[in-house]
Amino acid sequence: SGRVDLAGLDLRAVPPAVFSIIDAPLPTTAPTYSGSFDDDGGGDRWWENESTHVPGGVAKLNLGRNQLTVVPDELGALTGLRTLELAHNQLRGLPGDALAELAALQLLDASNNQLAEFGTAAGSLRGLCALVKVDLSHNALQSLGPELAYLSALAELNVSNNALRDLPAELCDCVALRTLQASHNQLAALPAAF
């Protein structure tokens, strides 16, 4: 499967071509595609090609350690995405409708951003039935919403180092949850069903 690694490139926006990467038949060895910039702004800018073929489609997208403030709704076009790394950016929100389209997503790392909420918008997590691990640590989270109930495969949730005052009762609906990291918040109690 294909991997697109755009980490640490000081990007302020996601190159639009990332969302139009074309699925290609799987060869025996799947290549990894990555981009980098030289000091003069040149370098390997593969995303400027008219089309890029990634065997099996994009399975892993690493946009970490950039200057992103938003992730475009076009993210939902990457329906084969299994890993989404958004850590160490300046994100204030995630594209809920687009995120819900990522039914194959297993790992979401949006740590070290400025997120204030997760799972509060209706339908924002409904399609994420394969999501196993979510890292939202080191954000500004004040609330986790009822949409968490749709994360039936969620086994590990890290919401440490935020501003949470409580955890939603719907977290108890995550029957696969084995690890919950919620230290360094303002929690007074856990949901009664815990």
Side-chain angles (χ1 to χ4, degrees), residues 5 18 24 33 39 47 69 78 92-93 106 108 110-111 134-135 139 142 151 158 163 167 194:
D5 189 0
V18 168
Y33 296 90
D39 291 340
W47 58 81
T69 57
L78 301 177
R92 293 181 187 263
Q106 298 172 357
L108 172 63
S111 62
V134 176
D135 188 347
N139 273 287
Q142 296 177 2
L151 304 181
N158 186 347
L167 296 173
F194 261 48

Side-chain angles (χ1 to χ4, degrees), residues 31-56:
T32 297
Y33 296 90
S34 64
S36 62
F37 288 103
D38 295 330
D39 291 340
D40 64 357
D44 179 17
R45 296 173 63 128
W46 57 264
W47 58 81
E48 291 180 350
N49 294 336
E50 199 167 297
S51 65
T52 302
H53 295 272
V54 175

Side-chain angles (χ1 to χ4, degrees), residues 9-83:
L9 298 178
D10 204 29
L11 297 174
R12 298 196 186 290
V14 181
V18 168
F19 303 115
S20 60
I21 291 176
I22 300 167
D23 186 8
L26 281 169
T28 54
T29 311
T32 297
Y33 296 90
S34 64
S36 62
F37 288 103
D38 295 330
D39 291 340
D40 64 357
D44 179 17
R45 296 173 63 128
W46 57 264
W47 58 81
E48 291 180 350
N49 294 336
E50 199 167 297
S51 65
T52 302
H53 295 272
V54 175
V58 178
K60 179 176 183 177
L61 178 58
N62 187 350
L63 295 168
R65 299 190 181 279
N66 282 296
Q67 301 297 317
L68 302 175
T69 57
V70 296
V71 177
D73 288 335
E74 289 81 5
L75 177 69
L78 301 177
T79 56
L81 197 61
R82 292 192 303 268
T83 300

Side-chain angles (χ1 to χ4, degrees), residues 109-144:
D109 183 353
S111 62
N112 294 281
N113 278 286
Q114 300 170 18
L115 301 175
E117 58 86 20
F118 181 76
T120 58
S124 62
L125 305 179
R126 193 157 289 162
L128 297 175
C129 55
L131 194 57
V132 174
K133 182 178 179 179
V134 176
D135 188 347
L136 300 171
S137 63
H138 298 276
N139 273 287
L141 287 177
Q142 296 177 2
S143 65
L144 296 174

